[in-house]
Amino acid sequence: MNVYEGKNIRNIAFVGHGGTGKTSLVAAALFSTGAMSRLGSVDDGNAPTDYDEEEIERKMTISTKLAFCELNSHKINMLDTPGFGNMIQEARAALRVADTAVVVIDAVSGVQVQSEKVWQFCEEFAVPRFVLVNRMDRERASFEQSLASIQQDFGRTCVPVQIPLGAEQGFRGVVDLIRMKAYTYEGDASGKFSESDVPDDLKGQAEEHREKLIELVAESSDALMEKFFEEGSLSDDELIEGLREQVLKRAIYPVLFASGTRNIGVLSLLGSIIDYSPSPTQPGSVLGKDASGNDVDRAISDSEPFSAYVFKTISDPFTGRISLFKVYSGTLTSDVQPYNVRSESTERIGHVVLLQGKEHIQVAKVHAGDIAAVAKFKDTHTGDTLSDKTVPISYAAIEWPEPMISFAIEPKSRGDEDKISTAIQKIIEEDPGLRYEREPQTGQFLISGQGQMHVEVSVSRLKKRYGVDVNLKPPKVPYRETVRGRADVQGRHKKQTGGHGQFGDCKIKVEPLPRGSDFQFADEIFGGSIPKTYIPAVEKGIQEARLRGPLAGFPTVDFKVTLYDGSFHAVDSSEMAFKIAGRLAFRKAMQLAKPVLLEPVMNVVIDTPEEYAGDLMGDLNGRRGRVQGMDVKGKITVIRAQVPLAEILTYASDLTSKTGGHGNYTMAFDHYDEVPANIADKVIEKAKAEAAGHEEEDD
């Protein structure tokens, strides 16, 4: 295995909507460059980067995988990322360490919902990108419609550097608009091609698009613009250099064409990646924080002290924890003992490896800019920085979104009760988007994720990897309670026993706050009617009491409490007494302040073939949804709506049924809104019945 310096490395993340063929492209790249002896296939279950049992069974990428190939004295690290909505945050984490993204677009569907999402992720991390139109061999694949969709959504700076040779079943290669050569692939999935002049029937189209490319490159440089005006064109070398510079600056996004499953255009893509994408050392430096928390720029160079960012953890039941990281500075060998800045611990390295899908390839050294892995770190997790202890630096960790859906989880067998927590923690190490916690109100253990599929995949892994079989109960809607009115009440706790008694007395005013304000506490005590040492106890009592609202036991939010008067006893008053008084005052106030139930409302985006759009909008109305708008992108209709979470918990299976598997959706929390009275009554009745059941169990 050759060891590559940063200047000869390319770190590429393949991102895009689910089902656009990212995994097939990576498989074709590995086969075409000799890294794999056969062309792996998602349908056949032997794709090199979809090796997890769940991925093989579902025929979809669930978590980011790493592979690499070697071409023209360069190493190309390829991050194959998920594209389905529940797992899309994995793509965001991969883009944190990628130096270039290949945004994969389906040649029939064009830009889809998750295409837009990953484009936003690229913007967030300022990642240069290519746009690859894949599956050009599909029926109804269209160069013109695909390009129109891309430029409509992402702008005119998405410009072809190729045009396709043929379309649908006749797709056989690409025309390079820079060198003005045609590359015709043999069509036998070998990836082999022959070079020739541009066919006569495509010369006019090729020259037209080359002219647009030259104009866009010239616009970005005064010197090139002057040359263009004087001579009417640019040389190939000037065009190549200008394009490379503008890709790095994110001023131009080259558009290319391929078919991953038939291995057409993939070697041309890899050549373009080498020619036009930046090496990991080209940004020059990376921003971090020193031991004092001050911003510091660390040069991306072998000569700097060692530092690396852990962007993913794989939990392997046999190997243990495998940490994937990008080396930002210095070099890494097996005798280095990296310092974990977060845990303030030193790790030991057994072997440094490169990942080729599930295969581990041991290497002696990793240079700045490269991506590698180490097994069995003890205190290192996703988002941690490894550093030279004498010159520590830390890099910003990825923030994972809050889970959108929760299920109650319990082992099928009593013997698995002890094993379940340990196994879930290993799953969470690999997938920080999951949560596992005990619900204090019900005593149930909840597993939460980005959607139903996300949770189901995790539960399936529990059984297959760790032998823990569990039951999932219907997801709980995180209702909240609030007040519409005002109240002025007194909370008084007085208890006389032998010796010291208990006395606490407070007067509070309660009023509603705008949605999203949570809770505010104001101290307006004058004249010492309540000593300052007891005021925090009143607030604490209210804080504890509001966790179980008066209607159905859900947390109470969006209200303000003003403590304005009270009294105390020099001997019998205590923090506990005032805490109880605060709790009593809250309960009294809730009886008077017109409490109401709130429910989470989600922003839902559905993309579907146009023939299903009418039925889906009718279905959304039946779910108390409010359609906000509709966009048409080629043959795909995008519906945007706001729907209560309670009405869309099981939408994934319903959408699949209604669209024959052709529809996709994403949802994200938007706001809380009042539950209609007739529905609120049912929720409250059910919650009280469950609470009564739990009390009986406790008895």
Side-chain angles (χ1 to χ4, degrees):
M1 173 66 214
N2 295 321
V3 176
Y4 290 83
E5 295 184 2
K7 65 181 180 180
N8 292 325
I9 293 172
R10 301 290 185 269
N11 295 319
I12 310 297
F14 284 83
V15 297
H17 196 91
T20 53
K22 301 179 292 295
T23 299
S24 297
L25 287 164
V26 172
L30 294 172
F31 178 63
S32 298
T33 56
M36 292 286 173
S37 59
R38 64 178 179 177
L39 179 59
S41 165
V42 173
D43 289 336
D44 293 340
N46 57 13
T49 53
D50 272 5
Y51 55 81
D52 183 271
E53 285 184 79
E54 283 296 310
E55 293 173 323
I56 294 170
E57 184 177 312
R58 295 173 184 266
K59 299 186 187 301
M60 59 180 283
T61 301
I62 291 172
S63 61
T64 296
K65 303 297 193 309
L66 178 62
F68 68 93
C69 62
E70 299 170 89
L71 182 67
N72 300 338
S73 301
H74 285 74
K75 178 187 178 210
I76 303 175
N77 290 319
M78 297 177 288
L79 294 157
D80 180 17
T81 72
F84 289 90
N86 285 186
M87 290 83 177
I88 200 67
Q89 292 297 324
E90 285 265 339
R92 180 169 172 264
L95 287 166
R96 169 70 169 74
V97 296
D99 301 301
T100 307
V102 175
V103 181
V104 183
I105 305 295
D106 184 86
V108 176
S109 302
V111 176
Q112 296 166 273
V113 175
Q114 302 305 328
S115 315
E116 297 176 345
K117 180 71 74 175
V118 296
W119 193 270
Q120 293 169 4
F121 294 160
C122 291
E123 292 288 324
E124 178 184 355
F125 296 117
V127 180
R129 67 215 75 146
F130 293 77
V131 181
L132 180 72
V133 181
N134 191 32
R135 307 176 84 187
M136 281 296 298
D137 56 324
R138 287 185 68 196
E139 185 179 349
R140 296 189 299 163
S142 169
F143 163 60
E144 291 81 6
Q145 288 185 10
S146 298
L147 183 59
S149 174
I150 291 164
Q151 292 185 335
Q152 175 183 326
D153 284 274
F154 302 148
R156 63 180 285 270
T157 51
C158 294
V159 58
V161 295
Q162 300 172 345
I163 61 172
L165 279 171
E168 300 184 344
Q169 285 299 312
F171 177 62
R172 61 190 187 279
V174 295
V175 172
D176 185 331
L177 299 177
I178 295 175
R179 298 174 177 87
M180 286 302 280
K181 292 292 183 182
Y183 298 101
T184 304
Y185 285 72
E186 294 185 4
D188 58 0
S190 67
K192 296 177 181 178
F193 62 85
S194 58
E195 179 184 310
S196 63
D197 293 332
V198 180
D200 291 340
D201 61 335
L202 286 179
K203 278 185 179 178
Q205 186 183 28
E207 288 170 356
E208 177 187 346
H209 283 286
R210 176 181 165 87
E211 191 68 22
K212 291 178 181 178
L213 173 62
I214 290 173
E215 288 178 9
L216 199 60
V217 171
E219 281 179 18
S220 57
S221 164
D222 290 340
L224 291 179
M225 180 63 80
E226 185 176 341
K227 172 81 180 294
F228 178 71
F229 280 140
E230 286 178 0
E231 301 183 12
S233 188
L234 301 176
S235 69
D236 289 356
D237 289 343
E238 289 169 333
L239 185 54
I240 290 170
E241 189 56 41
L243 181 59
R244 182 186 295 119
E245 184 177 334
Q246 297 316 310
V247 168
L248 176 61
K249 292 180 178 179
R250 305 185 312 283
I252 290 178
Y253 307 107
V255 180
L256 305 96
F257 301 87
S259 166
T261 53
R262 290 175 60 195
N263 201 359
I264 298 175
V266 177
L267 275 174
S268 298
L269 166 67
L270 297 179
S272 296
I273 286 171
I274 291 171
D275 287 344
Y276 310 125
S277 68
S279 74
T281 59
Q282 276 186 276
S285 64
V286 59
L287 180 65
K289 290 190 179 294
D290 62 18
S292 301
N294 300 316
D295 288 345
V296 59
D297 280 316
R298 173 69 61 87
I300 305 172
S301 168
D302 287 358
S303 61
E304 291 288 315
F306 170 75
S307 69
Y309 173 77
V310 179
F311 67 92
K312 182 166 181 61
T313 302
I314 298 173
S315 183
D316 188 285
F318 304 106
T319 309
R321 182 187 298 156
I322 303 170
S323 301
L324 280 64
F325 52 84
K326 180 180 182 180
V327 177
Y328 275 114
S329 61
T331 59
L332 182 65
T333 58
S334 58
D335 58 355
V336 171
Q337 294 188 5
Y339 175 71
N340 186 311
V341 178
R342 177 195 56 81
S343 63
E344 298 182 345
S345 61
T346 299
E347 296 280 14
R348 294 184 180 276
I349 294 176
H351 301 294
V352 183
V353 298
L354 305 180
L355 297 187
Q356 191 66 288
K358 64 180 177 180
E359 183 185 355
H360 293 192
I361 300 172
Q362 188 174 333
V363 289
K365 188 180 209 179
V366 177
H367 290 270
D370 208 349
I371 295 175
V374 167
K376 298 182 179 178
F377 278 154
K378 293 188 179 301
D379 299 311
T380 296
H381 303 288
T382 300
D384 285 353
T385 299
L386 301 171
S387 178
D388 184 322
K389 188 174 183 178
T390 62
V391 194
I393 187 172
S394 61
Y395 301 117
I398 285 283
E399 292 184 5
W400 292 79
E402 288 299 310
M404 293 176 10
I405 192 170
S406 298
F407 290 81
I409 184 172
E410 58 186 29
K412 286 186 177 179
S413 167
R414 285 187 175 274
D416 284 345
E417 289 178 350
D418 294 334
K419 294 177 7 183
I420 187 171
S421 293
T422 302
I424 287 181
Q425 289 305 322
K426 291 179 179 178
I427 297 287
I428 290 175
E429 279 186 6
E430 187 170 27
D431 186 352
L434 286 171
R435 298 285 189 278
Y436 176 67
E437 58 193 353
R438 184 177 182 273
E439 167 55 54
Q441 296 179 32
T442 65
Q444 291 179 313
F445 284 94
L446 301 181
I447 184 169
S448 308
Q450 297 304 309
Q452 186 169 343
M453 181 189 290
H454 189 197
V455 175
E456 288 174 351
V457 165
S458 303
V459 166
S460 183
R461 282 176 165 171
L462 281 176
K463 182 177 181 179
K464 291 176 180 175
R465 291 187 184 180
Y466 303 105
V468 178
D469 208 357
V470 300
N471 289 318
L472 285 182
K473 293 187 175 180
K476 291 181 176 291
V477 176
Y479 291 103
R480 297 288 183 264
E481 299 179 23
T482 191
V483 296
R484 287 184 298 180
R486 298 169 182 265
D488 188 334
V489 299
Q490 179 178 17
R492 183 181 177 90
H493 174 63
K494 182 177 181 180
K495 187 174 182 181
Q496 191 63 49
T497 58
H500 288 313
Q502 297 179 33
F503 183 84
D505 176 32
C506 63
K507 294 181 180 180
I508 64 170
K509 294 176 182 177
V510 170
E511 58 188 303
L513 290 175
R515 291 284 176 270
S517 302
D518 195 29
F519 171 72
Q520 292 180 15
F521 181 83
D523 170 16
E524 293 186 2
I525 292 292
F526 292 99
S529 57
I530 298 178
K532 289 190 176 299
T533 54
Y534 296 145
I535 291 173
V538 175
E539 181 181 2
K540 187 174 182 181
I542 294 169
Q543 286 277 29
E544 290 179 357
R546 80 180 184 98
L547 294 178
R548 291 185 61 83
L551 295 176
F554 295 107
T556 308
V557 296
D558 302 341
F559 70 104
K560 179 180 179 180
V561 170
T562 302
L563 175 64
Y564 68 92
D565 201 0
S567 60
F568 73 102
H569 188 280
V571 175
D572 292 345
S573 287
S574 65
E575 289 187 10
M576 177 58 71
F578 272 97
K579 187 169 121 176
I580 295 171
R583 191 182 307 152
L584 293 171
F586 170 81
R587 290 172 180 166
K588 282 186 181 180
M590 290 301 104
Q591 296 173 9
L592 303 174
K594 301 177 182 177
V596 293
L597 198 65
L598 299 175
E599 64 181 344
V601 178
M602 315 300 285
N603 279 329
V604 180
V605 180
I606 305 164
D607 64 315
T608 175
E610 57 188 353
E611 59 263 32
Y612 304 112
D615 289 344
L616 291 180
M617 285 195 287
D619 179 62
L620 289 172
N621 289 330
R623 296 173 185 267
R624 299 191 284 128
R626 299 174 183 173
V627 176
Q628 307 289 303
M630 187 175 71
D631 301 318
V632 178
K633 298 180 178 179
K635 297 183 181 299
I636 300 297
T637 298
V638 180
I639 303 169
R640 304 177 191 277
Q642 290 191 335
V643 189
L645 177 61
E647 302 288 349
I648 205 163
L649 285 172
T650 59
Y651 192 60
S653 56
D654 294 341
L655 181 63
T656 298
S657 174
K658 290 180 183 299
T659 64
H662 295 292
N664 293 287
Y665 84 105
T666 58
M667 67 177 181
F669 171 75
D670 187 72
H671 66 282
Y672 271 91
D673 205 354
E674 193 172 325
V675 181
N678 61 321
I679 296 174
D681 290 343
K682 295 177 182 177
V683 173
I684 293 168
E685 183 180 345
K686 182 180 178 182
K688 288 182 176 178
E690 289 179 354
H694 287 302
E695 288 176 3
E696 289 179 7
E697 289 176 9
D698 292 341
D699 293 341

